[in-house]
Amino acid sequence: MSEEANSVELKKTGVENNGFVADQGSEEHAIPDSRKNSQTEDQVFAIKLDSFEDQILLKPYAGMPKEVLLKFSNQPCYKITREILFWLIIVATLAIIAATITVIALSPKCLDWWQRSPIYQVYPKSFRDSDNDGSGDLKGVQEKIDHFVYLDVSTVWVAPFYKSTLKDYRYAVDDFRSVDPSFGTMTDFEDLLAALHDKGIKLIIDLIPNHTSNKHNWFELSRNRTDKYTDYYIWHDCGFSEGRVTPPNNWVSVYGNSSWEYDNVRKQCYLHQFRKEQPDLNFFNPDVQNEIMDIIKFWLEKGVDGFTVDAAKFLLEAEHLRDEPQVNKLQDPATIINYEELYHDYTTTQIGMHDILRDFRQTMNTYSREPGRYRFMGTESNDQSTVGRTMLYYGNSFTQEADFPLNFYLFDLNTDISGNAVFDLVDLWMKSMPKGKWPHWMVGSPSNSRIASRVGTSYVKVINMLLLTLPGTPTTYYGEELGMEDNPALSNTADVSGEHNPAELPEKTPMQWDTSSNAGFNGGNKTWLPVNQDYQVTNVEVQMTKPDSTLNLYRDIIQLRKRELPLHRGWLCYAWKDANVFAYVRETDGLNKVFMMVLNFGMASSVNIKNAIPDLPAQAKIRLSTIASKSGNTVNMDNIRTERGEGLILEYKTDKPLHNKEAFHNQCFISEKACYSSAFDLLYKNC
């Protein structure tokens, strides 16, 4: 190619600077002709661009000026790349937002703290005595927090410790905002609460709204008709016949005899559905409701994590005061003195009672807004055969009430225990419970004989296995993790103070910590009740050292429950029941790992569960057994052998879960349904 073709002509039309000229505009100073040869009006410069660019390749560099940057940014290779990156970022952002929304929309509700852990119930008078006065106290509970940590429980329920006249074991309250001196001080309570929270343990206490003691300041003001307190309790005129008080109606207290007591100060009768020292509050009075709301707020502001509402069904009584129907219509009305002799249509579960409980729930909800600080509410209402009434405490899909009502039906287990009997009690609750609600289980309490004494020590381990592997929240009464028994010698002990029902003393013996004097309950010379004689063997210190102990099995099951998804929020499906064995599975949608519990509540037995469920695998692994030496072994599903009181937790894999089978449609139950995605290792709903 010629130079002309590869050149660009630049015409210079300006004036060349040839030095200073005084006055270029005058003719006198015109440029000489001799210099015009070096200057032209139109001077052409030729630059060979191609050859120059070959020698100097210009590339983008840091700090380039805008003019250079624009030169490169408009080139197609950069412009297209930039646009591709821009749209990729937009698409990726939208995808992340969509994925986040999808995950949130499809994610099931996380289990709350009251669902994730068993509840450990402490009777403080019998748990640990810190000052050696013979009676347990709040400081003693704090001293033993490491026991809760060892068990791996994260919820503790402490029985009433309010200032009390001691009637009905602290349920006759003199002051709802004070700690009874026998348990310590409010500072002791605050220290206990802080120490529990430091260990990640929640604290539940009792709320006793139905009544106060007759020493409460409200009652003193009410009996004297002082201002608003006049109608804080249920007062009514009584009749007199032959010098004897005639009550307004035939209502009988839970403890027998008339539920009316005459007061010489007010000259009227007051209602007490429990002991005469426990007058019922009048919940038709808005001021009374506000007082209880303020008490709830007082303890929530202290930091407690929840309440169990005691005697909930007794909160309201019919205002018409009609006689309640007799169970035996032929019985002479004058002879009715026992609670069981009447149908309590007018003194329990009255219209408006659930509205009061919902108000309690709403008050607690105002303190539940902080993440991780949900406030629990349970209700105590033993409705016995009318289980449907108990289920009303769950609320409904529109209105929240209790997180669960306490389940007392396993208290019916006794020496005639069998596989069928256990199945019936479990099935009663599961089939009666509203769909999707959370179950609760307990076998002991401060007012019920210990399970080891009711059914026999042979069944303690398998009962604990049942509690900890059923869906829902189990509650363990102190000492049940050891297999503590009642002290039968206390059944006939007189209680001159009136604090306790003598029949309920055997299950309140001091906690058995070690082999030292008084079983480690204290270091003093006395205990408020004698320590059970078996404390040398049945105690925490000894059982911690034995891998096959009741204590360590209890702990192992809790840890397995926490690790394995099907055990803490999976389906429950019945697999087998007969006079000896009750078996059920726990399984989760999307997860092929299944756990089967085979629990023996009768005599030694072999069962062929594979014959009943052909899709089961031929063998399963024993994850845990009440007989420690069997753990880790393999069993044949067509011949599962269990000894008397033995329990097995079996693990197997299957792609055919029972809850998907039509034959098990009415035999499977789920609470807080969730499905597992192995691809993303997460839970989702709507599966």
Side-chain angles (χ1 to χ4, degrees):
M1 185 180 291
S2 64
E3 285 190 4
E4 290 80 0
N6 291 307
S7 301
V8 175
E9 291 187 348
L10 301 179
K11 294 186 178 181
K12 189 172 188 298
T13 57
V15 179
E16 181 183 5
N17 184 2
N18 289 315
F20 175 76
V21 180
D23 189 355
Q24 296 183 30
S26 66
E27 293 182 3
E28 299 170 347
H29 297 89
I31 299 173
D33 292 338
S34 61
R35 298 185 58 187
K36 288 181 180 180
N37 293 331
S38 63
Q39 178 180 342
T40 60
E41 291 276 335
D42 299 310
Q43 196 167 13
V44 179
F45 299 90
I47 303 175
K48 299 179 180 178
L49 294 180
D50 288 352
S51 60
F52 181 76
E53 289 181 355
D54 289 340
Q55 297 174 17
I56 304 176
L57 182 61
L58 191 59
K59 296 181 179 180
Y61 57 91
M64 69 180 77
K66 180 175 67 176
E67 294 81 1
V68 178
L69 178 63
L70 288 173
K71 175 182 177 182
F72 289 101
S73 65
N74 287 325
Q75 293 181 8
C77 61
Y78 293 105
K79 186 175 182 180
I80 294 173
T81 302
R82 186 170 65 251
E83 290 184 359
I84 290 173
L85 290 175
F86 171 79
W87 287 111
L88 283 176
I89 292 171
I90 295 296
V91 170
T93 302
L94 293 175
I96 292 172
I97 294 172
T100 302
I101 294 173
T102 301
V103 169
I104 293 172
L106 295 180
S107 294
K109 176 182 176 293
C110 294
L111 295 186
D112 221 319
W113 58 265
W114 53 272
Q115 298 171 304
R116 293 192 297 265
S117 167
I119 297 172
Y120 189 95
Q121 186 180 20
V122 170
Y123 189 72
K125 190 177 180 69
S126 298
F127 199 63
R128 166 69 180 161
D129 173 18
S130 69
D131 56 8
N132 298 323
D133 66 351
S135 180
D137 45 51
L138 296 179
K139 280 187 176 180
V141 178
Q142 183 175 345
E143 288 178 359
K144 292 299 183 179
I145 287 178
D146 284 345
H147 182 60
F148 310 140
V149 175
Y150 180 78
L151 293 178
D152 208 5
V153 298
S154 55
T155 304
V156 172
W157 170 16
V158 177
F161 51 82
Y162 302 113
K163 185 178 180 182
S164 169
T165 47
L166 309 184
K167 296 294 182 181
D168 200 17
Y169 32 87
R170 308 287 169 181
Y171 286 88
V173 179
D174 295 349
D175 186 351
F176 288 103
R177 294 179 174 86
S178 296
V179 174
D180 194 90
S182 66
F183 292 119
T185 65
M186 184 60 75
T187 299
D188 293 336
F189 172 80
E190 292 167 349
D191 290 345
L192 169 62
L193 180 60
L196 288 169
H197 284 174
D198 285 346
K199 297 288 188 178
I201 300 172
K202 304 291 186 179
L203 176 64
I204 296 172
I205 65 174
D206 285 77
L207 177 67
I208 310 170
N210 180 69
H211 50 264
T212 69
S213 80
N214 58 355
K215 303 298 182 184
H216 197 288
N217 185 51
W218 298 346
F219 188 78
E220 294 295 331
L221 293 169
S222 186
R223 75 197 313 188
N224 287 286
R225 302 177 189 268
T226 304
D227 301 328
K228 69 174 185 177
Y229 298 98
T230 300
D231 295 323
Y232 263 41
Y233 297 84
I234 300 171
W235 297 94
H236 201 275
D237 293 331
C238 294
F240 291 89
S241 176
E242 300 179 355
R244 298 178 62 184
V245 175
T246 304
N249 54 34
N250 72 341
W251 294 357
V252 176
S253 82
V254 171
Y255 293 104
N257 296 313
S258 176
S259 58
W260 297 94
E261 182 71 14
Y262 183 73
D263 180 63
N264 281 318
V265 176
R266 180 152 169 159
K267 306 302 181 184
Q268 282 186 307
C269 286
Y270 64 85
L271 179 72
H272 60 90
Q273 294 223 52
F274 295 90
R275 300 188 186 278
K276 66 180 182 180
E277 295 86 2
Q278 297 168 286
D280 275 40
L281 287 164
N282 177 15
F283 268 89
F284 287 109
N285 186 335
D287 289 332
V288 170
Q289 294 190 34
N290 290 335
E291 293 276 13
I292 300 301
M293 296 296 184
D294 288 342
I295 291 167
I296 292 172
K297 294 175 184 176
F298 173 83
W299 290 103
L300 291 178
E301 288 170 3
K302 287 286 183 184
V304 301
D305 301 288
F307 297 93
T308 56
V309 182
D310 296 304
K313 69 180 181 181
F314 297 99
L315 288 178
L316 290 176
E317 298 79 19
E319 293 183 283
H320 54 62
L321 300 184
R322 297 172 188 159
D323 283 353
E324 292 192 310
Q326 297 178 198
V327 173
N328 180 4
K329 296 185 182 300
L330 300 179
Q331 183 178 357
D332 181 359
T335 65
I336 294 177
I337 60 173
N338 297 313
Y339 193 73
E340 296 78 15
E341 294 172 342
L342 295 175
Y343 293 113
H344 302 286
D345 296 344
Y346 306 140
T347 53
T348 62
T349 320
Q350 297 299 293
I351 294 174
M353 179 267 292
H354 285 284
D355 293 330
I356 295 171
L357 293 174
R358 290 170 193 141
D359 289 341
F360 291 173
R361 174 71 268 172
Q362 291 303 312
T363 299
M364 294 182 198
N365 283 347
T366 61
Y367 290 81
S368 299
R369 294 168 183 166
E370 182 182 347
R373 291 307 308 273
Y374 179 81
R375 307 306 174 98
F376 165 83
M377 189 178 100
T379 51
E380 181 265 314
S381 176
N382 189 353
D383 294 292
Q384 299 172 337
S385 61
T386 54
V387 65
R389 289 187 178 184
T390 302
M391 297 302 150
L392 295 175
Y393 293 94
Y394 277 114
N396 53 51
S397 57
F398 304 102
T399 307
Q400 186 183 15
E401 200 166 320
D403 293 300
F404 55 68
L406 301 186
N407 178 359
F408 298 125
Y409 287 93
L410 292 179
F411 289 173
D412 292 343
L413 294 176
N414 48 46
T415 52
D416 62 354
I417 189 172
S418 68
N420 286 326
V422 174
F423 166 80
D424 289 341
L425 294 174
V426 171
D427 190 53
L428 173 66
W429 190 272
M430 296 306 296
K431 285 189 173 177
S432 302
M433 185 178 67
K435 183 179 179 180
K437 294 298 184 178
W438 193 257
H440 172 256
W441 314 96
M442 61 192 303
V443 295
S445 77
S447 54
N448 288 273
S449 177
R450 289 187 177 276
I451 190 66
S453 297
R454 296 205 315 271
V455 304
T457 56
S458 300
Y459 298 105
V460 169
K461 288 183 177 181
V462 74
I463 288 288
N464 282 337
M465 186 172 283
L466 172 77
L467 281 181
L468 297 173
T469 57
L470 285 171
T473 299
T475 292
T476 295
Y477 182 51
Y478 83 94
E480 287 176 354
E481 74 276 24
L482 302 174
M484 280 180 59
E485 299 179 69
D486 295 344
N487 187 339
L490 296 174
S491 297
N492 299 318
T493 301
D495 183 33
V496 295
S497 71
E499 177 181 357
H500 299 281
N501 180 348
E504 296 175 356
L505 293 178
E507 59 265 23
K508 294 184 173 75
T509 54
M511 178 67 173
Q512 295 162 201
W513 294 106
D514 54 41
T515 58
S516 66
S517 176
N518 298 332
F521 172 69
N522 67 13
N525 298 319
K526 63 178 181 177
T527 59
W528 80 280
L529 288 176
V531 176
N532 212 326
Q533 295 179 354
D534 67 351
Y535 81 91
Q536 291 284 347
V537 176
T538 306
N539 66 68
V540 174
E541 182 183 64
V542 169
Q543 291 201 12
M544 284 180 68
T545 64
K546 295 182 177 181
D548 61 345
S549 67
T550 303
L551 174 67
N552 280 323
L553 176 65
Y554 180 92
R555 180 172 180 257
D556 290 343
I557 299 173
I558 289 180
Q559 292 178 341
L560 181 66
R561 169 194 173 99
K562 293 180 71 173
R563 289 194 306 267
E564 299 294 351
L565 180 62
L567 288 176
H568 65 258
R569 70 176 303 163
W571 286 85
L572 165 72
C573 293
Y574 305 138
W576 183 276
K577 67 181 180 71
D578 62 24
N580 298 308
V581 172
F582 173 38
Y584 52 91
V585 302
R586 303 297 310 280
E587 52 193 26
T588 300
D589 289 279
L591 190 66
N592 64 0
K593 181 190 291 186
V594 176
F595 291 90
M596 176 182 286
M597 274 51 66
V598 182
L599 310 179
N600 186 303
F601 298 103
M603 304 304 294
S605 174
S606 294
V607 295
N608 184 352
I609 299 181
K610 185 169 176 56
N611 184 57
I613 310 173
D615 288 334
L616 290 177
Q619 294 183 324
K621 178 183 178 181
I622 301 176
R623 284 294 298 268
L624 283 176
S625 171
T626 55
I627 301 175
S629 60
K630 290 188 177 182
S631 297
N633 292 348
T634 299
V635 297
N636 294 321
M637 299 298 275
D638 59 359
N639 185 24
I640 303 176
R641 173 78 180 180
T642 53
E643 302 301 322
R644 181 173 184 263
E646 182 182 359
L648 302 173
I649 300 179
L650 308 179
E651 178 187 332
Y652 61 88
K653 295 185 181 296
T654 181
D655 294 323
K656 298 178 180 179
L658 296 188
H659 69 269
N660 286 338
K661 297 179 181 297
E662 184 64 29
F664 287 85
H665 179 70
N666 294 321
Q667 305 296 314
C668 295
F669 308 90
I670 186 69
S671 300
E672 301 289 356
K673 184 178 180 181
C675 314
Y676 178 73
S677 170
S678 57
F680 297 99
D681 191 26
L682 53 75
L683 294 176
Y684 65 98
K685 59 183 180 180
N686 300 327
C687 52

